[in-house]
Amino acid sequence: MRTISNLFQNFSLASLADGLILALVAVFSICVHESCHGLMALALGDDTAKRMGRISLNPLHHVDWYGLVMMVIFKFGWAKGVPVNSSRFKNPKLGMALTALAGPVSNIILSFFGVVGYFATAYRGWESADGILYYVNLLFFYLAILNTGLAVFNLIPVPPLDGSKILAIVLPERAYRWLMRYERYGMLVLMVLLLTGVLDGPLITLRQGLLGVISILARPIAHLLAGI
């Protein structure tokens, strides 16, 4: 049976159906990621995202189409930022960090379900089956790969990614304000780093490392589901 690591190395769009499944998984993952930001903010006292309809699985509320294309092609992407009013939090710095962390955590959870589903269906022979069974297995594979990549990418500590907000917990206030001052240039810096391949090695290493840990935790559950 193929492993997640081997599949990642050989990953490519083999057909229109593959591409459709990949795009659907990407849109769903982005919607969950952004909605979890809004849900965490709501739990901490800020209902801005709820009032603006951003706690939703409707892709029109979240998807940045350029970010979606980048995600499908490069396996790293982004969506429209969820509006947050940190003044509504009892502890603004901690509240922003927890709100930011909710997105990547949701992707790690989705990746876990993806790995469980991939192994369970592979153990049942769906990996080598034809038709709908093969595509169910492929859906779980994409769910695991894309969400692991999305989690790792968003934890990069460069504005406006989630990692920069999480830094608030450990950075002195002066250093954090300096970092946020240049937030508008962050995406440009990221694009240059991605297009020049500077981040390829570190991101792939981190993604495969995280995927390896998730796979270790997921295999026993997959065994139970597959009746092994």
Side-chain angles (χ1 to χ4, degrees), residues 18-193:
D18 286 9
L20 179 59
I21 292 173
L22 177 57
L24 289 174
V25 169
V27 169
F28 172 72
S29 302
I30 288 173
C31 290
V32 171
H33 178 106
E34 297 303 328
S35 292
C36 284
H37 284 315
L39 285 170
M40 179 59 76
L42 182 62
L44 295 174
D46 176 28
D47 67 346
T48 304
K50 181 181 178 181
R51 287 187 287 104
M52 296 184 69
R54 295 300 304 277
I55 302 178
S56 169
L57 292 182
N58 184 343
L60 296 179
H61 294 176
H62 303 293
V63 171
D64 178 304
W65 297 106
Y66 186 55
L68 176 62
V69 170
M70 291 291 292
M71 186 175 180
V72 170
I73 296 175
F74 297 105
K75 317 306 173 288
F76 301 103
W78 58 88
K80 298 174 184 176
V82 169
V84 176
N85 185 351
S86 61
S87 66
R88 292 175 176 255
F89 298 144
K90 291 182 179 179
N91 184 329
K93 182 183 285 190
L94 179 61
M96 285 298 295
L98 291 175
T99 299
L101 185 62
V105 167
S106 73
N107 294 124
I108 292 173
I109 293 172
L110 287 177
S111 178
F112 177 81
F113 283 118
V115 174
V116 169
Y118 167 76
F119 281 128
T121 54
Y123 293 146
R124 301 290 294 182
W126 293 11
E127 176 189 46
S128 56
D130 295 324
I132 186 67
L133 297 181
Y134 166 78
Y135 287 109
V136 171
N137 177 259
L138 188 65
L139 183 149
F140 284 124
F141 167 66
Y142 287 154
L143 188 67
I145 292 296
L146 283 177
N147 278 281
T148 307
L150 193 60
V152 168
F153 179 73
N154 276 280
L155 286 172
I156 296 174
V158 174
L161 297 181
D162 297 329
S164 65
K165 310 295 192 305
I166 298 169
L167 265 183
I169 296 177
V170 296
L171 281 182
E173 187 66 25
R174 184 175 179 181
Y176 181 70
R177 289 185 180 278
W178 178 88
L179 181 64
M180 290 299 103
R181 186 184 307 167
Y182 298 99
E183 181 174 9
R184 61 184 179 276
Y185 303 115
M187 190 55 70
L188 177 61
V189 171
L190 283 171
M191 291 302 302
V192 171
L193 293 175

